[in-house]
Amino acid sequence: IHTPSNIFYNQESETYLVDVGPGVDIKLKCEVQSYPQSVVEWWMDDQKIPTANTIPTLPGNFERSIERKTDFIVESVLVIRKARAVNTGAYTCVASNTKGQDKLNYELRVTPTENEAEQTRDGSLPTSLHSLLLLLMSMLWAAV
């Protein structure tokens, strides 16, 4: 019997909110049941996180692992080492096989330190990618 990718959720919503301080290691988990076995990918915002973090625009030190629990169940873990405010964003686990696809979403907020927050308030570059994008978009709109 072939089954599509199915991610286990521990709550009603398909989005987990994770709010942490800087400097901690964060583990995002994604447990998938399927046959044939699914391919599991991790994304940050709209960029795929490769097995080895070689994309310079992705902030952080990512580690990925996958553990086969049974013939039908695998668990993929994305670890973000020493999280910083620039790691704030939407993370998605995408599991797919020949029968279908499923997704699990995490919204990660890394609260900046007082020093980082002050740098943002005093006109320095913002510490999060989202803030930087919003700043660039507002500058573009102002120029039009």
Side-chain angles (χ1 to χ4, degrees):
I1 297 175
H2 293 257
T3 60
S5 300
N6 182 31
I7 296 176
F8 297 112
Y9 306 111
N10 290 329
Q11 62 182 26
E12 294 282 321
S13 169
E14 293 179 13
T15 301
Y16 288 89
L17 300 176
V18 181
D19 205 348
V20 298
V24 298
D25 292 347
I26 300 164
K27 287 184 180 182
L28 306 179
K29 295 183 179 185
C30 183
E31 191 170 13
V32 183
Q33 177 180 346
S34 65
Y35 186 80
Q37 187 172 338
S38 293
V39 172
V40 180
E41 298 175 332
W42 283 94
W43 294 73
M44 178 187 178
D45 296 325
D46 62 349
Q47 291 189 334
K48 182 179 172 184
I49 300 172
T51 304
N53 186 14
T54 56
I55 299 177
T57 56
L58 282 176
N61 183 13
F62 298 109
E63 295 175 17
R64 291 179 48 190
S65 67
I66 195 153
E67 176 189 343
R68 185 182 197 132
K69 293 189 165 202
T70 70
D71 287 341
F72 304 104
I73 299 174
V74 296
E75 180 180 75
S76 179
V77 178
L78 177 68
V79 178
I80 304 166
R81 297 277 178 211
K82 296 185 180 8
R84 300 173 293 155
V86 294
N87 297 118
T88 294
Y91 290 81
T92 305
C93 171
V94 179
S96 57
N97 68 4
T98 55
K99 297 296 178 184
Q101 181 183 73
D102 200 4
K103 295 180 182 181
L104 176 64
N105 301 301
Y106 286 91
E107 187 64 39
L108 174 63
R109 287 188 305 215
V110 181
T111 307
T113 62
E114 280 187 37
N115 188 27
E116 290 173 317
E118 284 177 22
Q119 288 175 349
T120 302
R121 281 194 296 272
D122 73 11
S124 307
L125 283 177
T127 56
S128 80
L129 290 176
H130 288 292
S131 298
L132 181 57
L133 287 173
L134 290 172
L135 175 65
L136 290 172
M137 288 173 42
S138 66
M139 290 169 57
L140 285 172
W141 283 110
V144 174

